[in-house]
Amino acid sequence: MPSAPLALSTCSDQTVCVIGAGYVGLTTAVGLAEDGRQVRLLEIDEARLQLLREGRAPIHEPGLDEVLTRVLRAGHLEVVQDITEGMAGAGIAITAVGTPPTVDGEADLRQVERALAQATEAAGEGAVVVIKSTVPPGTTARLAAGRRRGHGTPPLVMCPEFLREGTALEDLRRPARLVVGGDDRQACARVAELFSRGGTPTHITDSTSAELVKYGSNSFLALKISFINELAQLCEATGADIESVADGIGADPRIGRGFLNAGLGYGGSCFPKDVRALENVAAYHGPSFWMLQAAIDVNAQQRRRFVGKVASALGGAVEDSRIAVLGLAFKPGTDDMRQAASIDIIRYLADLGAVVTATDPVAIERATPLLPGIAMLADPYACVTGADAVVIVTEWAEFRGLDWDRVGRLASRRLVVDGRNCLDGRELARLGYTYVSVGRRSQTPD
Ligand code: UGA
């Protein structure tokens, strides 16, 4: 039986408690508050809590600061430190804490277990507890079975998140699908109702299947990326063009064009972690999931291959060359540097004796401690000044919009190596550049 005095209060699904103001928790809380729910966001870190109460998000996510300020002012969102306060009257508690990989690549579940115990303890009668954190298959069922059962123990529901950094608020407003898993179908239906935005396709299943949907989705997308990157190698060897090949393959509705963009492979906090975690789960259960190791290897190779490409564009070696790296974040629209391709690429280049400068519209602050000794310049034109090669690592729209003639005048050579295939090579060739990209024919000055 819950022990807190507020535990027996009646609760309503109109009030939601989100535990953990990390990336998923914060965007979920803000999205639900924007949708008119009464949301309490629980955060224990004092500095983060203060920042949030001032309406400032600790992460860069388009639109987030504005909506955060709006929902705080409207009183739809409260940032709280105490679970009893957070759960008072809440019909739904969402645990959105981290599951960082252990040294073995397994998911560390300690934060989830703690959050779940807290929420269960403070839950009012009729409340549902949701696990939104990405957890290995079987976790929700195991945690549900491990709890003291009794009258008032809230049902446990698994509801994986599919938000993409950079477009998280949009993804919340227009989810492509919902997956909800658990034994208690009524509880699952309530959670589906919370996240549904008018006719969102919804799959209600058991919790272990829901967990596998999440790992399976991220791993499949990672496989698609590694597949297209391998195919890009073949394009370079045979003279084909990877964009045309991807368009042709992706036009088959059974395959789809999404995640067939060749480049520097996947980074971020999710794909690398989830592919490894799924591989670990498979290894634990006996059969190996060979394809996942291949995807991981191809992804790592892709970064090394790219450095080789830069070297050959510079005539065989990068030593003593000045290289301007445009883009540090793992993808555009975020300042997240976790598993960013830029880290490996810049380290390889620097180890080979290149003098590297780097720029990014938003990630310099987070990147600086990870890349000591690298000159970080907020102004891309300052970054390219004197460069022997300009290297694109993140496909920010800001870089497409640069005055490339001016870049050419500032750099010591008109050479672009585009790791994200995001620039118009023909246009650059017209401006006198040599343009090298991934899986496409190089362009030379007209
Ligand atoms: C990913 C999934 O797309 C979300 O659905 C999921 O909720 C999230 O992980 C998560 O598990 O939390 P995210 O990591 O934000 O979202 O980024 P993506 O847009 O999926 O891109 C991942 C990586 O793949 C990036 O480094 C991107 O540059 C790379 N990528 C993507 C490619 O190299 N090629 C592509 O065609 C697409």
mmCIF file of all heavy atoms in Angstrom, residues 107-138:
data_model
loop_
_atom_site.group_PDB
_atom_site.id
_atom_site.type_symbol
_atom_site.label_atom_id
_atom_site.label_comp_id
_atom_site.label_asym_id
_atom_site.label_seq_id
_atom_site.Cartn_x
_atom_site.Cartn_y
_atom_site.Cartn_z
ATOM 1 N N ALA A 107 22.289 -1.991 -21.062
ATOM 2 C CA ALA A 107 21.615 -0.794 -20.554
ATOM 3 C C ALA A 107 21.660 -0.798 -19.027
ATOM 4 O O ALA A 107 21.306 -1.791 -18.390
ATOM 5 C CB ALA A 107 20.173 -0.778 -21.048
ATOM 6 N N ASP A 108 22.112 0.304 -18.452
ATOM 7 C CA ASP A 108 22.148 0.454 -16.994
ATOM 8 C C ASP A 108 20.762 0.901 -16.534
ATOM 9 O O ASP A 108 20.316 2.009 -16.842
ATOM 10 C CB ASP A 108 23.215 1.493 -16.636
ATOM 11 C CG ASP A 108 23.354 1.693 -15.138
ATOM 12 O OD1 ASP A 108 22.455 1.259 -14.388
ATOM 13 O OD2 ASP A 108 24.356 2.298 -14.721
ATOM 14 N N LEU A 109 20.094 0.031 -15.799
ATOM 15 C CA LEU A 109 18.676 0.271 -15.472
ATOM 16 C C LEU A 109 18.446 0.867 -14.090
ATOM 17 O O LEU A 109 17.303 1.011 -13.657
ATOM 18 C CB LEU A 109 17.905 -1.054 -15.568
ATOM 19 C CG LEU A 109 17.886 -1.679 -16.962
ATOM 20 C CD1 LEU A 109 17.246 -3.054 -16.901
ATOM 21 C CD2 LEU A 109 17.139 -0.789 -17.944
ATOM 22 N N ARG A 110 19.544 1.253 -13.428
ATOM 23 C CA ARG A 110 19.366 1.679 -12.032
ATOM 24 C C ARG A 110 18.458 2.898 -11.885
ATOM 25 O O ARG A 110 17.633 2.971 -10.985
ATOM 26 C CB ARG A 110 20.716 1.933 -11.375
ATOM 27 C CG ARG A 110 21.366 0.619 -10.922
ATOM 28 C CD ARG A 110 22.737 0.834 -10.428
ATOM 29 N NE ARG A 110 23.593 1.394 -11.493
ATOM 30 C CZ ARG A 110 24.860 1.709 -11.316
ATOM 31 N NH1 ARG A 110 25.431 1.558 -10.150
ATOM 32 N NH2 ARG A 110 25.577 2.180 -12.322
ATOM 33 N N GLN A 111 18.593 3.857 -12.814
ATOM 34 C CA GLN A 111 17.751 5.063 -12.711
ATOM 35 C C GLN A 111 16.275 4.729 -12.930
ATOM 36 O O GLN A 111 15.396 5.268 -12.277
ATOM 37 C CB GLN A 111 18.190 6.100 -13.741
ATOM 38 C CG GLN A 111 19.550 6.710 -13.477
ATOM 39 C CD GLN A 111 19.865 7.761 -14.528
ATOM 40 O OE1 GLN A 111 19.140 8.721 -14.699
ATOM 41 N NE2 GLN A 111 20.963 7.561 -15.248
ATOM 42 N N VAL A 112 16.024 3.805 -13.870
ATOM 43 C CA VAL A 112 14.631 3.406 -14.147
ATOM 44 C C VAL A 112 14.034 2.732 -12.916
ATOM 45 O O VAL A 112 12.903 3.017 -12.506
ATOM 46 C CB VAL A 112 14.554 2.433 -15.351
ATOM 47 C CG1 VAL A 112 13.138 1.945 -15.575
ATOM 48 C CG2 VAL A 112 15.086 3.096 -16.611
ATOM 49 N N GLU A 113 14.834 1.845 -12.317
ATOM 50 C CA GLU A 113 14.328 1.114 -11.143
ATOM 51 C C GLU A 113 13.994 2.071 -10.005
ATOM 52 O O GLU A 113 12.967 1.943 -9.341
ATOM 53 C CB GLU A 113 15.361 0.068 -10.699
ATOM 54 C CG GLU A 113 15.382 -1.124 -11.649
ATOM 55 C CD GLU A 113 16.614 -2.000 -11.509
ATOM 56 O OE1 GLU A 113 17.425 -1.772 -10.588
ATOM 57 O OE2 GLU A 113 16.775 -2.913 -12.350
ATOM 58 N N ARG A 114 14.882 3.067 -9.810
ATOM 59 C CA ARG A 114 14.667 4.038 -8.736
ATOM 60 C C ARG A 114 13.399 4.855 -9.008
ATOM 61 O O ARG A 114 12.557 5.050 -8.142
ATOM 62 C CB ARG A 114 15.883 4.960 -8.630
ATOM 63 C CG ARG A 114 16.160 5.403 -7.199
ATOM 64 C CD ARG A 114 17.482 6.166 -7.102
ATOM 65 N NE ARG A 114 18.609 5.444 -7.651
ATOM 66 C CZ ARG A 114 19.478 5.954 -8.533
ATOM 67 N NH1 ARG A 114 19.342 7.179 -8.979
ATOM 68 N NH2 ARG A 114 20.488 5.238 -8.976
ATOM 69 N N ALA A 115 13.267 5.338 -10.243
ATOM 70 C CA ALA A 115 12.117 6.181 -10.599
ATOM 71 C C ALA A 115 10.812 5.395 -10.453
ATOM 72 O O ALA A 115 9.808 5.901 -9.946
ATOM 73 C CB ALA A 115 12.270 6.681 -12.037
ATOM 74 N N LEU A 116 10.868 4.141 -10.861
ATOM 75 C CA LEU A 116 9.676 3.299 -10.782
ATOM 76 C C LEU A 116 9.257 3.077 -9.327
ATOM 77 O O LEU A 116 8.065 3.168 -8.982
ATOM 78 C CB LEU A 116 9.987 1.966 -11.472
ATOM 79 C CG LEU A 116 8.900 0.924 -11.421
ATOM 80 C CD1 LEU A 116 7.661 1.423 -12.138
ATOM 81 C CD2 LEU A 116 9.382 -0.361 -12.056
ATOM 82 N N ALA A 117 10.243 2.810 -8.467
ATOM 83 C CA ALA A 117 9.941 2.590 -7.047
ATOM 84 C C ALA A 117 9.318 3.844 -6.445
ATOM 85 O O ALA A 117 8.312 3.770 -5.724
ATOM 86 C CB ALA A 117 11.221 2.208 -6.309
ATOM 87 N N GLN A 118 9.888 4.996 -6.785
ATOM 88 C CA GLN A 118 9.369 6.277 -6.258
ATOM 89 C C GLN A 118 7.931 6.510 -6.708
ATOM 90 O O GLN A 118 7.055 6.866 -5.920
ATOM 91 C CB GLN A 118 10.187 7.442 -6.819
ATOM 92 C CG GLN A 118 11.513 7.675 -6.181
ATOM 93 C CD GLN A 118 12.160 8.912 -6.805
ATOM 94 O OE1 GLN A 118 11.895 9.258 -7.954
ATOM 95 N NE2 GLN A 118 12.995 9.580 -6.037
ATOM 96 N N ALA A 119 7.715 6.311 -8.024
ATOM 97 C CA ALA A 119 6.384 6.581 -8.583
ATOM 98 C C ALA A 119 5.357 5.636 -7.983
ATOM 99 O O ALA A 119 4.238 6.036 -7.647
ATOM 100 C CB ALA A 119 6.419 6.452 -10.100
ATOM 101 N N THR A 120 5.720 4.365 -7.838
ATOM 102 C CA THR A 120 4.795 3.368 -7.287
ATOM 103 C C THR A 120 4.411 3.750 -5.864
ATOM 104 O O THR A 120 3.240 3.685 -5.473
ATOM 105 C CB THR A 120 5.467 1.975 -7.309
ATOM 106 O OG1 THR A 120 5.842 1.691 -8.651
ATOM 107 C CG2 THR A 120 4.536 0.889 -6.810
ATOM 108 N N GLU A 121 5.415 4.176 -5.102
ATOM 109 C CA GLU A 121 5.205 4.543 -3.701
ATOM 110 C C GLU A 121 4.253 5.732 -3.562
ATOM 111 O O GLU A 121 3.384 5.754 -2.703
ATOM 112 C CB GLU A 121 6.587 4.894 -3.118
ATOM 113 C CG GLU A 121 6.614 5.276 -1.658
ATOM 114 C CD GLU A 121 6.455 4.076 -0.734
ATOM 115 O OE1 GLU A 121 6.461 2.939 -1.229
ATOM 116 O OE2 GLU A 121 6.271 4.303 0.478
ATOM 117 N N ALA A 122 4.408 6.702 -4.456
ATOM 118 C CA ALA A 122 3.644 7.949 -4.304
ATOM 119 C C ALA A 122 2.351 7.971 -5.124
ATOM 120 O O ALA A 122 1.604 8.945 -5.070
ATOM 121 C CB ALA A 122 4.525 9.134 -4.690
ATOM 122 N N ALA A 123 2.089 6.892 -5.873
ATOM 123 C CA ALA A 123 0.933 6.911 -6.781
ATOM 124 C C ALA A 123 -0.397 6.903 -6.037
ATOM 125 O O ALA A 123 -0.565 6.190 -5.045
ATOM 126 C CB ALA A 123 1.004 5.696 -7.709
ATOM 127 N N GLY A 124 -1.327 7.693 -6.539
ATOM 128 C CA GLY A 124 -2.672 7.680 -5.985
ATOM 129 C C GLY A 124 -3.458 6.498 -6.536
ATOM 130 O O GLY A 124 -3.015 5.816 -7.475
ATOM 131 N N GLU A 125 -4.610 6.267 -5.975
ATOM 132 C CA GLU A 125 -5.431 5.132 -6.413
ATOM 133 C C GLU A 125 -5.822 5.299 -7.880
ATOM 134 O O GLU A 125 -6.269 6.373 -8.296
ATOM 135 C CB GLU A 125 -6.674 5.047 -5.537
ATOM 136 C CG GLU A 125 -7.470 3.823 -5.827
ATOM 137 C CD GLU A 125 -7.988 3.188 -4.544
ATOM 138 O OE1 GLU A 125 -7.925 3.840 -3.495
ATOM 139 O OE2 GLU A 125 -8.443 2.040 -4.639
ATOM 140 N N GLY A 126 -5.622 4.255 -8.646
ATOM 141 C CA GLY A 126 -6.038 4.281 -10.048
ATOM 142 C C GLY A 126 -4.977 4.811 -10.991
ATOM 143 O O GLY A 126 -5.192 4.880 -12.201
ATOM 144 N N ALA A 127 -3.800 5.181 -10.459
ATOM 145 C CA ALA A 127 -2.757 5.736 -11.334
ATOM 146 C C ALA A 127 -2.084 4.630 -12.148
ATOM 147 O O ALA A 127 -2.144 3.448 -11.792
ATOM 148 C CB ALA A 127 -1.720 6.480 -10.502
ATOM 149 N N VAL A 128 -1.488 5.039 -13.254
ATOM 150 C CA VAL A 128 -0.746 4.122 -14.125
ATOM 151 C C VAL A 128 0.697 4.623 -14.181
ATOM 152 O O VAL A 128 0.928 5.828 -14.239
ATOM 153 C CB VAL A 128 -1.333 4.154 -15.565
ATOM 154 C CG1 VAL A 128 -0.491 3.327 -16.520
ATOM 155 C CG2 VAL A 128 -2.766 3.676 -15.572
ATOM 156 N N VAL A 129 1.651 3.707 -14.152
ATOM 157 C CA VAL A 129 3.051 4.116 -14.291
ATOM 158 C C VAL A 129 3.565 3.646 -15.656
ATOM 159 O O VAL A 129 3.381 2.495 -16.042
ATOM 160 C CB VAL A 129 3.923 3.541 -13.148
ATOM 161 C CG1 VAL A 129 5.387 3.957 -13.348
ATOM 162 C CG2 VAL A 129 3.422 4.035 -11.791
ATOM 163 N N VAL A 130 4.174 4.584 -16.387
ATOM 164 C CA VAL A 130 4.630 4.305 -17.753
ATOM 165 C C VAL A 130 6.155 4.329 -17.797
ATOM 166 O O VAL A 130 6.774 5.241 -17.258
ATOM 167 C CB VAL A 130 4.106 5.391 -18.724
ATOM 168 C CG1 VAL A 130 4.507 5.093 -20.163
ATOM 169 C CG2 VAL A 130 2.599 5.548 -18.605
ATOM 170 N N ILE A 131 6.744 3.357 -18.467
ATOM 171 C CA ILE A 131 8.185 3.405 -18.717
ATOM 172 C C ILE A 131 8.377 3.929 -20.134
ATOM 173 O O ILE A 131 7.928 3.313 -21.105
ATOM 174 C CB ILE A 131 8.836 2.013 -18.548
ATOM 175 C CG1 ILE A 131 8.707 1.558 -17.097
ATOM 176 C CG2 ILE A 131 10.298 2.045 -18.977
ATOM 177 C CD1 ILE A 131 9.392 0.257 -16.763
ATOM 178 N N LYS A 132 9.022 5.090 -20.238
ATOM 179 C CA LYS A 132 9.304 5.666 -21.557
ATOM 180 C C LYS A 132 10.768 5.484 -21.911
ATOM 181 O O LYS A 132 11.169 5.588 -23.065
ATOM 182 C CB LYS A 132 8.960 7.166 -21.551
ATOM 183 C CG LYS A 132 7.775 7.409 -22.407
ATOM 184 C CD LYS A 132 7.726 8.513 -23.341
ATOM 185 C CE LYS A 132 6.493 8.443 -24.208
ATOM 186 N NZ LYS A 132 6.541 7.447 -25.253
ATOM 187 N N SER A 133 11.575 5.241 -20.874
ATOM 188 C CA SER A 133 12.999 5.020 -21.115
ATOM 189 C C SER A 133 13.147 3.772 -21.993
ATOM 190 O O SER A 133 12.313 2.862 -21.936
ATOM 191 C CB SER A 133 13.727 4.774 -19.799
ATOM 192 O OG SER A 133 13.352 5.743 -18.829
ATOM 193 N N THR A 134 14.217 3.764 -22.801
ATOM 194 C CA THR A 134 14.458 2.592 -23.654
ATOM 195 C C THR A 134 15.092 1.490 -22.803
ATOM 196 O O THR A 134 16.187 1.674 -22.263
ATOM 197 C CB THR A 134 15.384 2.988 -24.825
ATOM 198 O OG1 THR A 134 14.715 3.994 -25.572
ATOM 199 C CG2 THR A 134 15.704 1.799 -25.713
ATOM 200 N N VAL A 135 14.376 0.376 -22.668
ATOM 201 C CA VAL A 135 14.875 -0.715 -21.810
ATOM 202 C C VAL A 135 14.865 -2.031 -22.593
ATOM 203 O O VAL A 135 14.055 -2.221 -23.503
ATOM 204 C CB VAL A 135 14.018 -0.852 -20.526
ATOM 205 C CG1 VAL A 135 14.163 0.369 -19.627
ATOM 206 C CG2 VAL A 135 12.544 -1.094 -20.844
ATOM 207 N N PRO A 136 15.769 -2.947 -22.253
ATOM 208 C CA PRO A 136 15.845 -4.224 -22.985
ATOM 209 C C PRO A 136 14.578 -5.055 -22.850
ATOM 210 O O PRO A 136 13.855 -4.937 -21.851
ATOM 211 C CB PRO A 136 17.018 -4.950 -22.319
ATOM 212 C CG PRO A 136 17.774 -3.911 -21.581
ATOM 213 C CD PRO A 136 16.793 -2.833 -21.212
ATOM 214 N N PRO A 137 14.295 -5.902 -23.863
ATOM 215 C CA PRO A 137 13.089 -6.723 -23.831
ATOM 216 C C PRO A 137 13.004 -7.569 -22.567
ATOM 217 O O PRO A 137 13.977 -8.200 -22.178
ATOM 218 C CB PRO A 137 13.224 -7.597 -25.085
ATOM 219 C CG PRO A 137 14.592 -7.376 -25.618
ATOM 220 C CD PRO A 137 15.075 -6.085 -25.080
ATOM 221 N N GLY A 138 11.852 -7.520 -21.957
ATOM 222 C CA GLY A 138 11.635 -8.303 -20.744
ATOM 223 C C GLY A 138 11.728 -7.452 -19.489
ATOM 224 O O GLY A 138 11.279 -7.867 -18.413
#
